[in-house]
Every structure is written in C-alpha cells, then in structure tokens.
Amino acid sequence: MDEIEIPQYFICPISLQIMKDPVTAVTGITYDRESIEQWLKTAKDTICPVTKQVLPSSSCLTPNHTLRRLIQAWSTENASGGIDRVPTPKSPLCKSRLLKLIRELEVPGLYVNALKKLQVLAKDNSKFMEEAGVPKAMVLLLIRCCNQSKTIGVEQALRILYLTWTPSGEIKAAVNENHRIIDCLTWIQGCDIANPVVVKTLAMQVLKRVIEAANTRLLEKLKPEFMEEMLRVLKLKFSQQATKSALQILIQVCLWGRNRSKIVQANAMFELVELELEKPEKNITELTFNLLAHLCSCADGRAEFLSHAGSIAMVAKRILRVSPATDDQAVHILSLISKNAATKEVLSEMLRVGAVTKLCMVIQADCSTFLKQKAREVLRPHSNIWNNSPCIAVYLLTRYQ
C-alpha cells in the first residue's frame, strides 16, 4: 500500500506531528497548542519559533477551528490507512468563568451548583484554579458553613480545596488571615454529616496541610479542645488515612508553645499506647513512636506514659520488629525514662517486661552504630541492678560485658 502523504499545513512546526489542537499565535503562525505552550514556558526568550518575532508575555493563542475540522475530516477519510482520528479538544478554562463561579458561591441559591462545576474543573486545572483564587474562596466558604452550622456543600468544598492546594504564599496568607479555618475543620469532625467517613477523612487531610501552612503565632494559640479532637480521631479510628493525618498534625504542633503539655493533658499517652497495642500498620507505628518520643521529653509526659500499665512492655515489644525508625524512637523513649524517671519500680518493670533484654539484643543486632551506642548508654548506668537478673539470657549478658 502506498504511503499516505500528510498535508504540510497539518504538521506542527515544533513537534513535526499532526496537530490535535491547532492554535494561531499573534505572528500568524499556527502550532499545536501543547507544543507552543510548552515552548513559551521553557524558552529563554518568548519569541515565535518560526518568525523569530517577539511574542507578548501574555501571548494570545487563537484556536484555529477551520484547520482543526480539515485535519479531522482528512484523518477520518484515511482511517483505513492507519491514521487516527483527531478528537475535538476540550475548551481551555477561562479565568472569567472561574471568577463568575466564585461570585456565585456567595449566592445561597447558586453556590451548590457552582461547587459541583468547580469540582469537575479542579481535577484537570488545579494550578490554574489556584492562581484564580479558588482555594481562598473554599476557605471562606468552609468558614461560612461552620459559622452557620450548615453542612451542605462541605464535602465538595473540601475536595476542591484539597485538589487545588499548592504550597504557595497565597495559600499561606489565606490560612493565616482566616485562622477560623482550623476551628472549622475541627468542627467537621464532630458534626453530623452525610458520607461521614469520606468527609471527615478529607477534612483531616486538609487540616494537615493547613497546619503545615500556619505561622508560629497561630500554632502557639491552639486550644486544648483542638488536641482533644485530634485524639478523638485516633480513638474512633474511622479510617487509616484520618489516623495518620491526626498523628502527623500532633507531631507538627507539639513543637510550639505549650502544645506538648496540652496534648499530654488531653490524655494522649493513654490513647497512643492503646492505639499501638492493637498492632497497627508500620507507618502508623512509626508516627506513634515519633509522637511518644516528643511527649516523653517533658516530665508530665513521662509520668503519664508510666501510668499506663502496658507502656514499657509495648515499647519493648516493638523493638527489632517494625522498622529502624521505630527502633530509634523506642530506644530514645527508654533512654528518656531510664535517665529521668529511673525509680526502683520503673527499673524492675523494664527488666520484667523484657526491655532490658531487647536493649542487649540491639547491641548484637545488625543496627546502626548510633543505635547500639544509645542502647549501651541506657544499660550502663543501671548494670549493677540488672546484671545478675535471671530475666536476661546469660549469653546476652556475657556478650555485652
């Protein structure tokens, strides 16, 4: 069969392929939209590739509908020769359309329909929508829903905010100027809402991003009720993703102000130990131990940790069974306890539940040098108490000595 000859004006000057979405630049040259847009993004100088004329920074690309229809007709006629039909491209998203939908969000009778349209657009136009101010509009809408105790549209607003979120300065400004968004996302966790598992999980994922974007002043002002709500999410365990987000949030906020004490006072130690006793997945365990290590660095945290009858046993059980990250945090927790809360009862408990044995095993295992040294630092100060105990295997003691 003779090779099909492709008309020259069907070919993009940049990609040298048949154009799927031909657009004409102000210089009069037609290109495939994807190729010329990529050129304008990456080229050092915004010039027309063919004429070398300078293109405006906001160069207007006009769809060439006539040429597209000719290409489509030709490709259909030559389908038997192996030519794929060129599909009709989607119309590019217009900023004025987005601004119109954002304005409709403030109209009671229109905002639900506007949210539906924005959600569809958000799947493929997240960057453009972020530039148009859609994330900020979602923040304001969620705050308004919270103030009015209305849940209609909350799921769509959360999804749009999640899809259009980028770590930009505009997002950070929106969060810090509208700090009520934290109260709003916390309110969603406690309210009666349709599709609760999906919505509350989504709210936790968005809240995690909000906390990451919040400034120090905002993080230091978090209320005890916020900590209690995060721990309630851990207790309910309505989804693994929500549990993971709650742990990440608590790890993030415990570094600021008096938040560490607020978390401890909210009964965090009990909830974290109970969570870990159910043997969750590896990534949950790593986050749990990370948070426990942070909280055990303060006196009230250590006291609450030791008040749980199974805390030391749980930590000992996880050593050398989950991951190097967990081992690191677990040994650190035992180090904090042995250095700062080493009563006779605590030392006896460490021996009885196997924590001392595990520390001896860490020294013999294929672990990092740093971790082995950390284990030795825990064992050495109390070796006179543990040395002659029948609770430790003789070969471990011999090798340690």
Side-chain angles (χ1 to χ4, degrees), residues 269 272-273 288-296 305 314 333:
M269 287 304 196
L272 291 170
V273 174
T288 301
F289 271 70
N290 190 335
L291 182 55
L292 281 171
H294 278 300
L295 299 180
C296 280
F305 176 80
M314 180 275 290
I333 291 167

Side-chain angles (χ1 to χ4, degrees), residues 131-152:
E131 293 172 354
V134 172
K136 183 176 181 179
M138 293 304 105
V139 168
L140 295 174
L141 177 62
L142 287 167
I143 292 173
R144 190 161 67 247
C145 288
C146 177
N147 291 340
Q148 299 172 359
S149 298
K150 292 182 179 179
T151 60
I152 298 174

Side-chain angles (χ1 to χ4, degrees), residues 336-355:
L336 290 169
I337 296 299
S338 66
K339 284 181 180 178
N340 302 289
T343 64
K344 184 178 179 181
E345 292 76 13
V346 168
L347 295 176
S348 297
E349 178 75 0
M350 290 179 68
L351 191 63
R352 186 179 64 82
V353 301

Side-chain angles (χ1 to χ4, degrees), residues 112-276:
V112 174
N113 190 46
L115 280 171
K116 290 178 181 178
K117 292 178 180 178
L118 286 168
Q119 184 176 332
V120 172
L121 295 171
K123 294 177 182 177
D124 301 313
N125 303 281
S126 58
K127 178 62 178 175
F128 187 73
M129 293 179 74
E130 190 270 334
E131 293 172 354
V134 172
K136 183 176 181 179
M138 293 304 105
V139 168
L140 295 174
L141 177 62
L142 287 167
I143 292 173
R144 190 161 67 247
C145 288
C146 177
N147 291 340
Q148 299 172 359
S149 298
K150 292 182 179 179
T151 60
I152 298 174
V154 165
E155 180 178 354
Q156 289 87 347
L158 285 170
R159 201 171 296 282
I160 294 166
L161 182 54
Y162 185 77
L163 289 171
T164 58
W165 187 287
T166 59
S168 68
E170 290 186 13
I171 287 287
K172 291 182 179 180
V175 167
N176 293 300
E177 289 170 7
N178 303 279
H179 55 85
R180 277 277 293 154
I181 186 61
I182 294 179
D183 294 334
C184 169
L185 294 169
T186 308
W187 163 76
I188 292 171
Q189 299 305 320
C191 70
D192 185 15
I193 195 167
N195 205 8
V197 173
V198 172
V199 176
K200 294 182 180 185
T201 298
L202 197 53
M204 289 301 300
Q205 291 175 307
V206 171
L207 180 57
K208 173 181 170 289
R209 294 183 175 185
V210 167
I211 292 298
E212 290 172 347
N215 59 33
T216 304
R217 183 174 57 84
L218 192 55
L219 294 176
E220 289 177 343
K221 289 185 176 181
L222 290 174
K223 302 173 184 176
E225 291 79 11
F226 175 86
M227 314 303 176
E228 292 168 4
E229 194 58 51
M230 293 304 99
L231 291 168
R232 195 173 77 87
V233 172
L234 294 182
K235 186 175 183 178
L236 293 176
K237 295 185 285 290
F238 52 81
S239 78
Q240 184 175 335
Q241 189 56 58
T243 299
K244 183 178 177 181
S245 295
L247 287 167
Q248 290 170 326
I249 289 167
L250 289 170
I251 290 168
Q252 178 79 10
V253 304
C254 80
L255 304 174
W256 304 101
R258 295 188 61 257
N259 289 340
R260 193 172 299 171
S261 295
K262 294 175 188 175
I263 296 171
V264 171
Q265 290 166 12
N267 203 27
M269 287 304 196
F270 179 84
E271 297 298 344
L272 291 170
V273 174
E274 288 294 311
L275 173 65
E276 193 53 40

Side-chain angles (χ1 to χ4, degrees), residues 19-180:
M19 289 183 280
K20 297 178 180 178
D21 185 9
V23 292
T24 304
V26 293
T27 56
I29 306 299
T30 299
Y31 304 93
D32 190 53
R33 181 185 293 278
E34 184 179 349
S35 297
I36 188 61
E37 286 184 345
Q38 184 63 27
W39 169 274
L40 293 172
K41 283 180 184 177
T42 58
K44 185 179 293 184
D45 300 313
T46 53
I47 60 172
C48 176
V50 173
T51 67
K52 306 305 179 185
Q53 290 177 283
V54 177
L55 293 172
S57 57
S58 57
S59 181
C60 181
L61 301 172
T62 306
N64 193 328
H65 298 299
T66 301
L67 180 56
R68 175 177 55 78
R69 283 193 287 268
L70 286 172
I71 295 173
Q72 287 179 323
W74 176 84
S75 62
T76 300
E77 290 175 3
N78 292 278
S80 59
I83 301 295
D84 295 329
R85 186 183 185 280
V86 175
T88 302
K90 294 180 180 179
S91 300
L93 187 58
C94 178
K95 188 173 183 178
S96 61
R97 183 186 177 194
L98 284 177
L99 294 176
K100 180 176 179 292
L101 290 172
I102 290 173
R103 287 194 297 270
E104 290 178 359
L105 293 173
E106 299 179 9
V107 182
L110 299 177
Y111 86 94
V112 174
N113 190 46
L115 280 171
K116 290 178 181 178
K117 292 178 180 178
L118 286 168
Q119 184 176 332
V120 172
L121 295 171
K123 294 177 182 177
D124 301 313
N125 303 281
S126 58
K127 178 62 178 175
F128 187 73
M129 293 179 74
E130 190 270 334
E131 293 172 354
V134 172
K136 183 176 181 179
M138 293 304 105
V139 168
L140 295 174
L141 177 62
L142 287 167
I143 292 173
R144 190 161 67 247
C145 288
C146 177
N147 291 340
Q148 299 172 359
S149 298
K150 292 182 179 179
T151 60
I152 298 174
V154 165
E155 180 178 354
Q156 289 87 347
L158 285 170
R159 201 171 296 282
I160 294 166
L161 182 54
Y162 185 77
L163 289 171
T164 58
W165 187 287
T166 59
S168 68
E170 290 186 13
I171 287 287
K172 291 182 179 180
V175 167
N176 293 300
E177 289 170 7
N178 303 279
H179 55 85
R180 277 277 293 154

